[in-house]
Amino acid sequence: MENFSFYAPTYFAFGKDAENQCGQLVKRFGGSNVLIHFGGGSVIKSGLLDRVKKSLAAENIAYTELGGVKPNPRSGLVYEGIKLCREKKIDFILAVGGGSTIDSSKAIAAGAVYDGDFWDYYEGKPVEKALPIGTVLTIAAAGSEGSPDSVITKEDGMIKRGASGEAYRPKFSVLNPALTQTLPAYQTACGITDIIAHLYERYLTNTKNVEVTDRMIEALILAMVNEAPKVMANPNDYDARANIMWGGMMAHNNSCGVGRSQDWTSHNVEHELSALYDCAHGAGLAVAMPAVFTYTLQHDVMRFAKIAVRVWGCQMDFDNPERTAKAGIEALRNFLVSIGMPKNFAELGAKEADIEKLAHTCCYGNGNTSGKISGFTTLEQKDVEAIYRLML
Amino acid sequence: MENFSFYAPTYFAFGKDAENQCGQLVKRFGGSNVLIHFGGGSVIKSGLLDRVKKSLAAENIAYTELGGVKPNPRSGLVYEGIKLCREKKIDFILAVGGGSTIDSSKAIAAGAVYDGDFWDYYEGKPVEKALPIGTVLTIAAAGSEGSPDSVITKEDGMIKRGASGEAYRPKFSVLNPALTQTLPAYQTACGITDIIAHLYERYLTNTKNVEVTDRMIEALILAMVNEAPKVMANPNDYDARANIMWGGMMAHNNSCGVGRSQDWTSHNVEHELSALYDCAHGAGLAVAMPAVFTYTLQHDVMRFAKIAVRVWGCQMDFDNPERTAKAGIEALRNFLVSIGMPKNFAELGAKEADIEKLAHTCCYGNGNTSGKISGFTTLEQKDVEAIYRLML
């Protein structure tokens, strides 16, 4: 196991009606003048935003609203938020929404207390200072509610990049599984796929003898595989929603990723898809993962066999472990299809003719000057092209 | 899943030589005048204490030393520590040792900033205020390095009780697996047993549909069962020590125990054993667990069958799940014996003649006026007597 540090000081208020604690929580963590950041109409229509505002008002906390976050959140709204924070002397950002809203809020929080362009952080500057952030989560997916990460797309060039730093860990996150019951099935499935991807990206490691985190990752995927069909059959299954919500946070707070090298190839390969086609991140991952895993299988057949046996219940073929490893990837694909995810370029709306461009941007774009993407394996443009071709 | 809050803001520095970060960490979390609290000679002999002091000195942090903590830590030393803190105007407690040292440090930390008797906290007063605490862990076992809990024995009457509260979460914990390599096999095994007990106590729940935490608990037990024989065969197996150390923290920081009722019957039953015979807590648990589980099996046969199949690899007997459930308990007992743990009263040094007294103290002592112990099941004195008899 490699040396590491782990620090996840987010307070979680989990359960029914937990959003009514927002006011008390903002107060506890030092906020008095809040920017409420959110996406579209659903948080308004559902009455969630009103409940949040009521909770803030009950504690005499002032607030300003900024809506309009879209999936794959853009820099434009971030600049708007930063300007608003400065004008209104905001001292706390409250994100009400999913990963996009939380990531956008994190970017605003960093930019508001930085003299330069917030985009510097997305070009590699460590995020050491930001306004405190709280979240009210409306979809189990990105894990941003408990992570130090944020991904933003710069409209100039449609460059999608991540930033990370301790200041990006939310002070608190409100996790009410009931809020996710109104999500359409497709979005629910995209969220589950994203959670599973966060787990695979950590599972695919070159670090030896990390059984405790291997087992934790397997446990969380197993829980997703068990609970997903329940919410597909009954969107109002509160307990299944709750299991997925806590699992989604645990999948990405990195307690199961410490002390081991990680992969993130599927995310890299996917980011180009959602950047170019504006597809849902989870949907892109559903298509990307089986292709990436098939292409990189030979790098460590036994690791893929291990997850095939332990998570997907495949029989271990002791004479031919590769057969088991492949069966595990096929089981993953079948599971994703069973919850309504796309399985190829056509279903995703992606085009074969774009493959060279996609692979080139993946290896040379987004500030990557190496011509490679590295993690579990090191891949060059021709490899990435081959991976996209496996998605046809 | 039940509503819950979860807050675990401890910074973990994990890995080789991590103790050299002590000075920086104390400084980061606001300490300038430290009480170093420790147990016997091993931390001195190994040079650990010197390295810790050197690290503090490098940051110009003053310190006072207080050694002498014994297993099942006593109130006498706590009072001494509190007096010392006041005299020396201590502003940070650094525990260098195992669960006993950390628990004793927590009690001192609370008592030092409280006008009354620190024991009030161990009679039920919530711990809301304490000096900040850091730890340098030397045995993977109690999980106190990441938990809000502390257990102290009051010498007047040998009353063993727990206290809990947010102020008891360490600000930081240094986890260097190499520090545990010099532990005798018996202590290592006691620690592993304690970790497994923390997981079983959470597994035995009456809350339905908590698959995500069920799976996490199973994962952590599986990791212990995989790694324990490695350290028994080779005490210097760093990676196995590392897996056990991170697993021990995760087992008790409660991320796998949230939103579900828990048990703690085995701990209750064991506390009387270590209080009366001063045996190692882990050794007492090794004898207590199989007896408690056998006695309470009928309360939820399928739950015991589930852990038997998923953790212990037992075949599910679909016609007679009870047979599977019992096989799982037997597998646990065999595993504990295989790592050198005692299996009955005689091996523990306990006496049949004390059973009535043990059961009576369990149900009526330690501030328990109900005559019962409750968790997974509710047990009266006659039940507890029967459980002790199963340990003969």
Side-chain angles (χ1 to χ4, degrees):
Chain A
M1 200 180 292
E2 297 165 14
N3 294 355
F4 64 85
S5 65
F6 179 76
Y7 189 43
T10 300
Y11 180 101
F12 294 96
F14 191 104
K16 288 169 185 157
D17 304 322
E19 63 271 20
N20 298 331
Q21 299 175 42
C22 271
Q24 291 163 0
L25 288 169
V26 167
K27 199 170 180 180
R28 171 173 177 167
F29 289 101
S32 62
N33 186 17
V34 173
L35 178 74
I36 308 177
H37 195 35
F38 57 95
S42 63
V43 300
I44 301 169
K45 272 179 267 167
S46 69
L48 172 60
L49 196 64
D50 279 341
R51 294 199 296 283
V52 167
K53 291 194 280 188
K54 197 175 157 192
S55 175
L56 295 177
E59 300 291 333
N60 296 313
I61 293 164
Y63 55 82
T64 303
E65 298 172 47
L66 178 64
V69 183
K70 292 198 166 51
N72 303 314
R74 309 296 166 87
S75 54
L77 193 63
V78 173
Y79 289 114
E80 200 178 318
I82 291 169
K83 190 161 166 272
L84 203 54
C85 283
R86 288 175 180 163
E87 281 169 13
K88 300 271 187 177
K89 301 191 191 310
I90 295 293
D91 61 14
F92 199 99
I93 317 257
L94 183 58
V96 182
S100 297
T101 299
I102 301 172
D103 284 6
S104 182
S105 297
K106 288 177 176 180
I108 294 171
V113 291
Y114 176 55
D115 287 338
D117 184 348
F118 91 92
W119 191 252
D120 292 350
Y121 293 115
Y122 294 76
E123 289 191 331
K125 186 180 163 70
V127 187
E128 286 169 353
K129 208 177 149 206
L131 290 177
I133 302 150
T135 87
V136 180
L137 189 64
T138 58
I139 176 171
S144 189
E145 69 278 11
S147 86
D149 311 312
S150 161
V151 177
I152 299 288
T153 298
K154 189 175 190 175
E155 276 140 326
D156 181 8
M158 290 305 277
I159 302 167
K160 189 170 186 175
R161 283 204 203 152
S164 201
E166 272 191 20
Y168 268 1
R169 293 260 189 195
K171 297 295 176 198
F172 71 82
S173 283
V174 166
L175 273 54
N176 176 356
L179 297 178
T180 69
Q181 289 176 194
T182 51
L183 276 174
Y186 185 76
Q187 280 186 40
T188 300
C190 284
I192 292 165
T193 307
D194 195 13
I195 293 168
I196 290 173
H198 291 159
L199 293 161
Y200 263 94
E201 302 278 30
R202 290 178 165 89
Y203 200 78
L204 297 178
T205 185
N206 294 312
T207 312
K208 299 295 175 197
N209 302 319
V210 283
E211 185 70 5
V212 71
T213 39
D214 274 358
R215 284 288 188 188
M216 285 166 63
I217 295 168
E218 292 158 6
L220 292 164
I221 302 178
L222 280 162
M224 292 303 130
V225 173
N226 195 65
E227 301 303 298
K230 294 187 193 173
V231 291
M232 290 299 132
N234 173 16
N236 294 318
D237 186 331
Y238 176 87
D239 282 334
R241 295 277 186 188
N243 279 295
I244 293 168
M245 204 166 210
W246 190 242
M249 191 287 289
M250 289 299 299
H252 202 49
N253 82 344
N254 211 33
S255 56
C256 65
V258 289
R260 53 194 289 149
S261 75
Q262 303 184 3
D263 190 15
W264 302 96
T265 299
S266 294
H267 270 73
N268 279 316
V269 165
E270 191 292 311
H271 277 175
E272 303 315 321
L273 297 171
S274 49
L276 191 63
Y277 308 112
D278 211 21
C279 60
H281 175 52
L285 285 167
V287 177
M289 277 192 286
V292 170
F293 303 162
T294 300
Y295 193 81
T296 57
L297 177 95
Q298 292 300 336
H299 178 67
D300 190 346
V301 168
M302 290 306 259
R303 181 143 285 271
F304 282 103
K306 187 174 178 177
I307 200 165
V309 171
R310 289 186 175 178
V311 168
W312 298 107
C314 300
Q315 292 291 318
M316 179 64 185
D317 187 330
F318 293 90
D319 298 315
N320 185 3
E322 189 176 328
R323 204 170 69 86
T324 304
K326 285 180 176 166
I329 297 171
E330 198 52 32
L332 165 66
R333 189 202 313 266
N334 291 341
F335 167 77
L336 295 172
V337 168
S338 79
I339 61 170
M341 286 290 94
K343 65 175 177 299
N344 55 32
F345 254 40
E347 290 180 20
L348 198 64
K351 295 191 187 76
E352 185 176 358
D354 293 331
I355 283 181
E356 195 185 329
K357 182 168 79 175
L358 287 164
H360 187 269
T361 318
C362 194
C363 293
Y364 294 94
N366 287 345
N368 182 0
T369 54
S370 69
K372 294 170 185 170
I373 52 172
S374 295
F376 187 52
T377 57
T378 297
L379 304 172
E380 297 176 1
Q381 184 178 333
K382 67 174 173 43
D383 301 306
V384 178
E385 283 180 26
I387 286 169
Y388 283 122
R389 260 184 226 108
L390 287 173
M391 303 182 205
L392 292 173
Chain B
M1 200 179 291
E2 297 165 14
N3 294 354
F4 65 85
S5 65
F6 179 76
Y7 188 43
T10 300
Y11 180 100
F12 294 97
F14 191 104
K16 287 167 184 156
D17 304 322
E19 63 271 21
N20 298 331
Q21 299 174 43
C22 271
Q24 291 164 358
L25 289 169
V26 167
K27 199 170 178 179
R28 172 174 175 165
F29 290 101
S32 63
N33 186 17
V34 173
L35 179 73
I36 309 177
H37 195 35
F38 56 96
S42 64
V43 300
I44 301 170
K45 271 179 268 167
S46 69
L48 173 60
L49 196 63
D50 277 340
R51 294 200 296 283
V52 167
K53 289 194 281 187
K54 197 175 158 193
S55 175
L56 294 177
E59 300 292 334
N60 297 313
I61 293 164
Y63 56 81
T64 303
E65 297 172 46
L66 178 64
V69 183
K70 293 196 166 53
N72 304 315
R74 308 295 165 88
S75 54
L77 194 62
V78 172
Y79 288 114
E80 200 179 320
I82 291 169
K83 190 160 166 274
L84 204 54
C85 283
R86 289 177 181 162
E87 280 168 13
K88 301 271 187 177
K89 301 192 191 309
I90 296 293
D91 61 13
F92 198 100
I93 317 257
L94 183 58
V96 182
S100 297
T101 300
I102 301 172
D103 284 6
S104 182
S105 297
K106 289 177 175 179
I108 294 171
V113 292
Y114 177 53
D115 287 337
D117 184 347
F118 92 91
W119 191 252
D120 292 350
Y121 293 117
Y122 293 75
E123 289 192 332
K125 186 179 163 72
V127 188
E128 286 168 353
K129 208 178 150 205
L131 289 177
I133 302 150
T135 86
V136 180
L137 189 65
T138 58
I139 176 170
S144 190
E145 69 278 10
S147 86
D149 310 313
S150 161
V151 177
I152 299 288
T153 299
K154 189 175 190 175
E155 277 140 323
D156 182 8
M158 291 305 279
I159 303 166
K160 190 169 185 176
R161 282 202 204 155
S164 203
E166 272 192 18
Y168 268 1
R169 293 258 189 198
K171 296 295 177 198
F172 71 81
S173 283
V174 167
L175 272 56
N176 176 357
L179 298 178
T180 69
Q181 288 176 194
T182 51
L183 274 174
Y186 185 76
Q187 281 186 40
T188 300
C190 283
I192 292 166
T193 307
D194 195 13
I195 293 168
I196 290 174
H198 291 161
L199 293 161
Y200 262 94
E201 301 279 29
R202 290 177 165 90
Y203 200 78
L204 297 178
T205 185
N206 294 312
T207 311
K208 298 296 175 196
N209 302 319
V210 283
E211 185 70 5
V212 71
T213 39
D214 274 359
R215 284 289 189 187
M216 287 167 60
I217 294 168
E218 292 158 7
L220 292 165
I221 302 178
L222 280 162
M224 292 304 129
V225 174
N226 195 64
E227 302 302 298
K230 295 186 192 173
V231 290
M232 290 298 133
N234 174 16
N236 293 317
D237 186 330
Y238 177 86
D239 282 335
R241 294 278 186 187
N243 279 296
I244 292 169
M245 203 167 211
W246 189 243
M249 192 287 289
M250 289 300 299
H252 201 50
N253 83 344
N254 212 31
S255 56
C256 65
V258 289
R260 52 195 289 151
S261 75
Q262 302 184 4
D263 189 14
W264 302 96
T265 298
S266 295
H267 269 73
N268 279 317
V269 165
E270 192 291 313
H271 276 176
E272 303 315 323
L273 297 172
S274 50
L276 192 62
Y277 308 112
D278 211 20
C279 59
H281 176 52
L285 286 166
V287 177
M289 277 192 286
V292 169
F293 303 162
T294 300
Y295 194 80
T296 58
L297 177 96
Q298 292 299 337
H299 179 66
D300 190 347
V301 168
M302 288 307 258
R303 181 144 283 272
F304 282 102
K306 187 174 178 177
I307 199 165
V309 170
R310 290 185 175 178
V311 169
W312 299 107
C314 301
Q315 293 291 318
M316 178 65 187
D317 187 332
F318 293 91
D319 298 315
N320 185 3
E322 189 175 327
R323 203 171 70 86
T324 304
K326 284 179 176 167
I329 297 170
E330 198 53 30
L332 166 66
R333 189 201 313 265
N334 291 340
F335 166 77
L336 295 172
V337 168
S338 79
I339 60 171
M341 286 289 95
K343 64 175 178 299
N344 55 33
F345 253 41
E347 290 181 19
L348 198 65
K351 296 191 188 77
E352 184 175 359
D354 292 331
I355 284 182
E356 194 184 331
K357 181 168 79 174
L358 287 163
H360 186 268
T361 318
C362 194
C363 292
Y364 292 94
N366 286 345
N368 181 359
T369 53
S370 69
K372 293 170 184 170
I373 53 172
S374 295
F376 187 51
T377 57
T378 298
L379 303 172
E380 298 175 3
Q381 184 178 333
K382 68 174 172 42
D383 301 305
V384 179
E385 284 181 24
I387 286 170
Y388 283 122
R389 259 182 227 109
L390 287 174
M391 302 182 206
L392 292 174

